[in-house]
Amino acid sequence: MWHNNILETIGNTPLVKLNRITKDIPATVLAKIETTNPGNSIKDRMALKMIEDAEKNGLLKPGGTIIEGTSGNTGMGLAMAAIIKGYKCIFTTTDKQSKEKVDALRAFGAEVIVCPTNVEPEDPRSYYSVSSRLVRETPNSWKPNQYDNLSNSQAHYEQTGPEIWDQTEGKITHLVAGVGTGGTISGIAKFLKEQNPNIQVLGIDTYGSVFKKYKETGIFDKNEIYPYITEGIGEDFLPQNVDFNLIDHFEKVTDKDAALMTREISLKEGIFVGNSSGSAVAGLLQMKDRFKPGDVVVVIFPDHGSRYMGKMFNEDWLRERGFLTDTKLTARSIIAKKEKQEIVTIDCEKTIIEAIGTIKTLNISQIPVTQKGMVIGKITESGILDALLENPSLRSSPVKSIATGSFPFVDLNTSIDKISSLINKDNTAVLVEDENGAIEIITQYDIINAISGTP
């Protein structure tokens, strides 16, 4: 038997028992693996539902343009459906979203406009505002507005909730899900609580989001809002799809815990999922005292890990944010293994003959070039030789006349792999600023010594 098109494969995703990562939780923990949807995320469900409802209501007409603000997954679902149904897509997203998500949207023929993250929703530059402006300016266009479009939660009420109920044979006692637009958790919760009002619905929030405090106090506190890294959950406003009456508790998870747990899921369970899944499992473990033997906990795994290769699955990205500490050599440890010596620099106004004297005296092959104490370039032994062979009269010219681009700067947490990749025939060293603001230089020789253990 075959399907008539890819949209018919949406839904009926598997429920998989978690074992190693949840060993300290007395309950049975099952993950709803939404990565098996054709767009690799749970958002396929609501994207198709929103489009079908808009068609029924005459809001989306043949040849129309779908315009939406999206973190990537909803856009993928919309773009996929648009291809089958003959619509164009324009998406706005934020600059905190992974490059992989943006690239995936463009692979489906969508136009993607990247907007700044750290602005108010009402700011004309925000991805909410830009998408609304484009709708006003584009003939025959429609904005799904996934945050306030109740077709979002209805999709999960009609599909995801019944699937979970059937797959657990009605034994589910707890639902754990990240809360972003609110459609997933609210739609599933509505269906499950209609079957059994005692089912506990636990929402995962992030620091920098307003949900938890609003649930507990009824106060929308703008002081709760600040930039965060975690993708797919949390908001700085209250979407209509978030039904606080259906969510029994919100648990906040830090960016660091979410990012590291995202990696742990693949390492311990062999399930390759994204950032919001990491948040959900980290929150689940924080709430372990809520569960007892005999409980059946279902946690939603919304999307695929491939959309986070440049972030949660990139060790240098994690180190730059202080999320990852391990035994692999970094710029910090390479410097620590070096003999303490002050870096030699030369001012850009010094002459080339003076630079030659410095190189001979100190037996070095390259010197960073400074202007008013700031590194602006470099000169190398081979560069000086090439310049003088071409024009011997340059001997009395200032160093800046032959200086080339500066050595790359790296962070103290940059891994040895990244540093090695930056050192080549054009860049024979990298620079790093230590905790005291002093500039250090790392050469290939320093890397070899650090690896071999030579002081």
Side-chain angles (χ1 to χ4, degrees):
M1 180 180 174
W2 61 81
H3 296 282
N4 293 309
N5 60 59
I6 196 66
L7 303 180
E8 292 183 0
T9 68
I10 294 172
N12 297 310
T13 56
L15 201 60
V16 177
K17 185 176 183 291
L18 300 182
N19 299 289
R20 293 176 60 194
I21 209 162
T22 54
K23 62 182 175 56
D24 294 329
I25 294 179
T28 297
V29 181
L30 307 171
K32 184 72 165 152
I33 312 295
E34 290 294 308
T35 62
T36 61
N37 284 305
N40 298 134
S41 103
I42 197 168
K43 299 292 189 177
D44 290 356
R45 298 174 182 266
M46 55 82 109
L48 180 58
K49 176 68 174 172
M50 289 191 301
I51 286 176
E52 289 178 342
D53 286 353
E55 289 172 334
K56 289 174 189 173
N57 296 325
L59 300 173
L60 183 56
K61 300 176 177 63
T65 300
I66 299 170
I67 300 175
E68 179 70 323
T70 170
S71 62
N73 289 325
T74 298
M76 177 69 83
L78 290 168
M80 186 171 57
I83 289 170
I84 302 301
K85 290 173 170 288
Y87 303 116
K88 298 189 288 280
C89 288
I90 302 174
F91 298 127
T92 60
T93 191
T94 64
D95 53 14
K96 85 168 184 181
Q97 303 305 329
S98 63
K99 182 178 182 293
E100 290 84 359
K101 285 184 178 180
V102 174
D103 289 345
L105 293 176
R106 289 175 174 150
F108 274 72
E111 180 182 346
V112 183
I113 300 168
V114 180
C115 305
T117 300
N118 301 331
V119 295
E120 297 281 338
E122 302 80 17
D123 189 297
R125 297 168 295 165
S126 78
Y127 81 113
Y128 312 109
S129 298
V130 172
S131 62
S132 296
R133 174 176 59 79
L134 289 172
V135 171
R136 292 193 298 269
E137 296 174 354
T138 307
N140 192 21
S141 64
W142 168 70
K143 181 177 180 179
N145 188 13
Q146 59 177 317
Y147 295 93
D148 298 332
N149 186 335
L150 298 182
S151 295
N152 177 350
S153 53
Q154 186 66 19
H156 299 289
Y157 175 80
E158 294 176 359
Q159 303 167 26
T160 324
E163 285 178 27
I164 291 171
W165 182 256
D166 291 342
Q167 288 171 318
T168 62
E169 299 176 329
K171 295 175 182 175
I172 178 174
T173 59
H174 298 78
L175 172 72
V176 177
V179 187
T181 68
T184 296
I185 194 167
S186 299
I188 298 173
K190 184 173 185 289
F191 178 85
L192 293 179
K193 283 181 177 284
E194 286 178 359
Q195 314 310 308
N196 177 3
N198 294 322
I199 293 173
Q200 287 286 293
V201 176
L202 309 172
I204 304 300
D205 196 13
T206 184
Y207 289 90
S209 166
V210 298
F211 290 149
K212 181 176 175 64
K213 183 166 184 178
Y214 184 81
K215 166 67 179 178
E216 295 174 355
T217 68
I219 298 169
F220 181 87
D221 186 357
K222 286 203 169 186
N223 293 323
E224 290 281 298
I225 300 169
Y226 55 84
Y228 55 89
I229 292 170
T230 300
E231 297 184 37
I233 68 170
E235 282 302 340
D236 51 5
F237 67 104
L238 302 176
Q240 289 182 30
N241 272 296
V242 181
D243 190 335
F244 289 91
N245 294 321
L246 294 171
I247 303 170
D248 298 291
H249 171 76
F250 279 89
E251 186 76 10
K252 283 202 173 191
V253 175
T254 66
D255 286 335
K256 178 179 180 179
D257 289 344
L260 296 182
M261 187 57 69
T262 302
R263 297 163 62 85
E264 286 293 294
I265 294 169
S266 59
L267 292 171
K268 291 187 175 177
E269 300 290 344
I271 303 172
F272 195 37
V273 285
N275 194 195
S276 54
S277 301
S279 295
V281 172
L284 173 80
L285 297 179
Q286 288 173 196
M287 297 185 288
K288 65 181 181 180
D289 292 341
R290 285 179 169 266
F291 312 118
K292 63 183 186 302
D295 284 347
V296 175
V297 183
V298 173
V299 57
I300 305 297
F301 281 5
D303 71 350
H304 201 262
S306 58
R307 295 188 181 152
Y308 304 85
M309 294 305 295
K311 290 190 173 185
M312 286 71 201
F313 295 99
N314 181 314
E315 292 188 0
D316 286 319
W317 185 90
L318 292 168
R319 285 192 187 91
E320 286 167 9
R321 285 149 187 83
F323 289 174
L324 192 65
T325 304
D326 60 18
T327 55
K328 185 174 282 189
L329 287 171
T330 62
R332 179 183 279 103
S333 53
I334 294 171
I335 290 171
K337 290 173 180 285
K338 284 181 61 172
E339 289 184 11
K340 293 299 178 186
Q341 59 185 57
E342 189 173 342
I343 185 172
V344 176
T345 62
I346 189 165
D347 187 88
C348 64
E349 298 298 337
K350 295 285 188 180
T351 64
I352 292 173
I353 193 66
E354 288 177 290
I356 293 171
T358 300
I359 285 172
K360 283 183 177 178
T361 301
L362 300 177
N363 192 27
I364 55 179
S365 60
Q366 65 252 330
I367 312 177
V369 177
T370 61
Q371 183 176 43
K372 296 181 179 177
M374 298 291 291
V375 177
I376 61 165
K378 67 178 183 291
I379 55 169
T380 63
E381 198 171 34
S382 59
I384 292 173
L385 177 61
D386 290 343
L388 292 181
L389 286 174
E390 187 173 330
N391 185 0
S393 66
L394 286 175
R395 290 165 58 90
S396 58
S397 298
V399 163
K400 64 183 180 183
S401 65
I402 64 166
T404 57
S406 176
F407 296 113
F409 265 89
V410 298
D411 184 88
L412 280 169
N413 294 317
T414 303
S415 71
I416 191 170
D417 298 335
K418 178 71 171 179
I419 294 169
S420 297
S421 72
L422 292 172
I423 294 179
N424 50 46
K425 63 182 179 64
D426 298 316
N427 290 306
T428 53
V430 300
L431 302 177
V432 60
E433 186 175 328
D434 68 19
E435 284 96 340
N436 301 315
I439 303 298
E440 299 271 3
I441 190 167
I442 296 175
T443 65
Q444 200 165 48
Y445 178 76
D446 296 323
I447 293 175
I448 293 169
N449 281 347
I451 293 172
S452 65
T454 305

